[in-house]
Amino acid sequence: MAQHPLLTKLIPCRSDNYAVLAHDPEENVTLLVDAPEATAIRQALEETGWSLTHILVTHHHFDHVDGLDDIKQASGAHVIGPALSLDKIPSIDQGVADGDEIRFGGQKIYCLATPGHTLDHISYWLPEAELAFTGDTLFAMGCGRVFEGTLRDMWFSVDKLAKLPAETTVFCGHEYTQANGDFCLTIEPDNQALQQRVEEIKALRQKGLPTIPTTILDELSTNSFVRAHEGEVKEALGMAEAEDWEVFAEIRKRKDNA
Ligand code: ZN
Ligand code: FE
């Protein structure tokens, strides 16, 4: 059980984006992670009755900040985001970089630089709530496409998140889980945990339900990107002697061409 648990609400936005609210009833503070679209977020705030105090931005892509100005204006919330993108995201009140800590009510939010998908990408970790927000870096059974950084950068970012405590609940930026799982099966067809999870995900999606959040524990056993350092994954790819990041790079390239 988390030392300082939060209530969460996942908000489906656009075609496959997620925003998320996390609320601390004791301290009466609420954070939003990313603002893909204002309407869905405003509706979620009305439904919950939570009043927004903090907004965390993971990276500068349009599908994560399109509703930001709107929500900031309506709520007056304090906007925290990558210091590297202050020019691209003028609504940021507080620019953050790797290792920075932010107070959220009675607990701390740690800022983790996770470059690769974009150079500015920040993931957020709340150890006392056992929560992490990984944006477009770590997905359920996947990871983001590498647009701005190198494949090597992305491996270290994904691996950094994989090393958070196993019980950490992880919210990411997109519902890509089913396609990701099908792809991981092409890398690790004999992975039983993966086979089982793909079935569970299929059942959820057939009912139109989200597959998010995930946990670090589940990613360690089923996410082939996270597992690039495992001997069995290296061997399956004929790369037993390769560096971890090279194996990751091979998996990422295969996914890009899938
Ligand atoms: Zn993105
Ligand atoms: Fe995105």
Side-chain angles (χ1 to χ4, degrees):
M1 185 65 188
Q3 234 178 73
H4 197 146
L6 298 173
L7 303 172
T8 58
K9 184 175 175 69
L10 187 69
I11 311 170
C13 295
R14 307 172 79 94
S15 55
D16 53 30
N17 276 88
Y18 286 125
V20 58
L21 294 173
H23 174 69
D24 184 339
E26 265 172 55
E27 309 269 349
N28 199 24
V29 286
T30 305
L31 65 79
L32 166 71
V33 184
D34 286 342
E37 94 174 72
T39 315
I41 294 165
R42 237 179 291 148
Q43 199 182 325
L45 285 166
E46 271 169 37
E47 278 169 24
T48 55
W50 300 341
S51 62
L52 194 60
T53 52
H54 298 66
I55 303 174
L56 308 179
V57 177
T58 60
H59 66 297
H60 68 83
H61 281 161
F62 182 73
D63 63 312
H64 297 254
V65 296
D66 192 29
L68 183 59
D69 292 352
D70 233 331
I71 297 296
K72 180 185 177 178
Q73 251 189 351
S75 62
H78 183 66
V79 181
I80 293 141
L84 286 176
S85 284
L86 292 177
D87 56 336
K88 294 194 185 99
I89 317 171
S91 316
I92 293 176
D93 298 307
Q94 183 182 354
V96 291
D98 193 43
D100 286 353
E101 301 175 17
I102 304 157
R103 289 208 71 76
F104 176 62
Q107 63 189 299
K108 272 182 191 166
I109 301 174
Y110 289 88
C111 304
L112 310 173
T114 46
H117 176 70
T118 58
L119 289 176
D120 69 337
H121 199 294
I122 301 279
S123 300
Y124 298 93
W125 176 42
L126 286 71
E128 292 168 63
E130 295 179 351
L131 278 179
F133 303 107
T134 62
D136 286 1
T137 298
L138 179 66
F139 293 135
M141 291 190 279
C143 72
R145 267 180 196 263
V146 178
F147 290 121
E148 295 180 7
T150 64
L151 288 160
R152 196 169 179 280
D153 290 336
M154 190 63 163
W155 162 250
F156 286 105
S157 294
V158 164
D159 193 47
K160 188 191 244 186
L161 295 171
K163 285 173 174 151
L164 293 176
E167 61 273 18
T168 307
T169 294
V170 176
F171 286 90
C172 60
H174 289 271
E175 179 59 66
Y176 293 156
T177 315
Q178 193 162 9
N180 286 343
D182 289 343
F183 170 75
C184 285
L185 278 176
T186 69
I187 303 290
E188 300 183 79
D190 301 328
N191 177 336
Q192 286 185 4
L194 173 59
Q195 292 165 359
Q196 194 190 328
R197 189 172 181 200
V198 164
E199 290 309 310
E200 290 165 8
I201 295 298
K202 216 186 285 172
L204 284 172
R205 296 308 292 154
Q206 274 167 2
K207 292 182 211 151
L209 295 172
T211 65
I212 303 304
T214 175
T215 62
I216 294 295
L217 188 67
D218 281 347
E219 297 313 309
L220 291 174
S221 63
T222 62
N223 184 330
S224 302
F225 297 91
V226 162
R227 293 167 49 74
H229 66 284
E230 299 281 357
E232 56 201 271
V233 174
K234 290 187 173 184
E235 265 163 42
L237 292 171
M239 299 179 75
E241 303 302 320
E243 300 280 341
D244 299 346
W245 77 267
E246 294 173 314
V247 179
F248 169 83
E250 172 63 22
I251 297 172
R252 187 59 256 176
K253 282 183 215 159
R254 288 192 190 192
K255 178 70 166 67
D256 289 347
N257 298 323

